[in-house]
Amino acid sequence: YTLVTGAQLDQVDQELERSHPPIERAAAADADRREDSIRSAAPGFYVELSTTDPDRVLVIPLERPGVDAMVLADDELPVPDGDGSDDEAVFASLDSNADHQLRVRVSRQSDDSILVIGRSLTSIDESRDRLVFALLAASAGAIVAIGLLGAWPVRVGLRPLVAVARAASEVADTDLERRVPGQG
């Protein structure tokens, strides 16, 4: 479970890392074209661009059919240190206001603004639930199989003792000529 969920988060982190350069280029566009540029560069992503005085310049919420748009609270975001190099990016899993988890990559840009790129973890949560169910079902099946397979050798191994017990009870029932099996 731990290996699978860790690998899934690594995949999301790699996807966020790969999508960062085109989104950063789109965020550098003119203010009147910025939102359209980011939306075309990052379909299906949560994107937030804010200044250091934490005013949000732009928020593109993560929208999915049948689910409220996911927007993060201001105080949830980790703020990276550094001078805007990509090595200073911070990855975190956060809860949105729609009670869904979002994996985010937060980085400081060269103009000192903060760029947040996020992906929903809903599909990962669903696959984790399926994995837990499969692991529990497999464990229960293994316990039942071990119990059934283990009962047969125990019964075979106890046959001589059952025969001795049967003979002992017959002796106790007044058949004093009867002998207990296994005596020479």
Side-chain angles (χ1 to χ4, degrees), residues 44-46 60-64 67-71 102 118-120:
F45 282 85
Y46 173 88
I60 299 175
L62 186 59
E63 297 176 18
R64 292 186 10 228
V67 177
D68 292 337
M70 294 183 195
V71 179
L102 205 62
R119 251 331 208 190
S120 172

Side-chain angles (χ1 to χ4, degrees), residues 6-171:
Q8 288 175 326
L9 279 180
D10 287 344
Q11 286 176 339
V12 172
D13 289 348
Q14 290 170 7
E15 184 180 8
L16 290 171
E17 197 64 44
R18 281 190 310 271
S19 62
H20 176 260
I23 294 172
E24 185 175 5
R25 284 191 297 277
D30 294 336
D32 49 332
R33 295 182 320 150
R34 183 179 294 148
E35 185 172 348
D36 291 335
S37 297
I38 291 175
R39 283 187 188 274
S40 64
F45 282 85
Y46 173 88
V47 179
E48 180 179 315
L49 185 62
S50 60
T51 58
T52 54
D53 51 338
D55 289 336
R56 290 182 175 174
V57 175
L58 173 71
V59 175
I60 299 175
L62 186 59
E63 297 176 18
R64 292 186 10 228
V67 177
D68 292 337
M70 294 183 195
V71 179
L72 295 173
D74 290 332
D75 59 346
E76 290 183 294
L77 294 174
V79 178
D81 296 328
D83 56 356
S85 70
D86 285 341
D87 296 335
E88 303 295 330
V90 176
F91 290 89
S93 296
L94 305 171
D95 292 323
S96 71
N97 63 351
D99 295 327
H100 289 81
Q101 278 207 325
L102 205 62
R103 185 72 174 176
V104 295
R105 179 190 190 277
V106 183
S107 60
R108 186 176 300 276
Q109 304 304 300
S110 57
D111 64 356
D112 217 28
S113 62
I114 304 293
L115 178 63
V116 180
I117 304 169
R119 251 331 208 190
S120 172
L121 294 180
T122 302
S123 62
I124 290 177
D125 290 341
E126 291 168 356
S127 70
R128 285 179 186 172
D129 293 343
R130 288 190 304 271
L131 179 61
V132 166
F133 177 76
L135 289 173
L136 290 175
S139 297
I143 290 170
V144 168
I146 289 170
L148 293 174
L149 291 174
W152 177 73
V154 168
R155 259 186 275 138
V156 169
L158 289 178
R159 279 186 191 161
L161 291 176
V162 170
V164 168
R166 195 174 299 128
S169 71
E170 287 176 7
V171 167

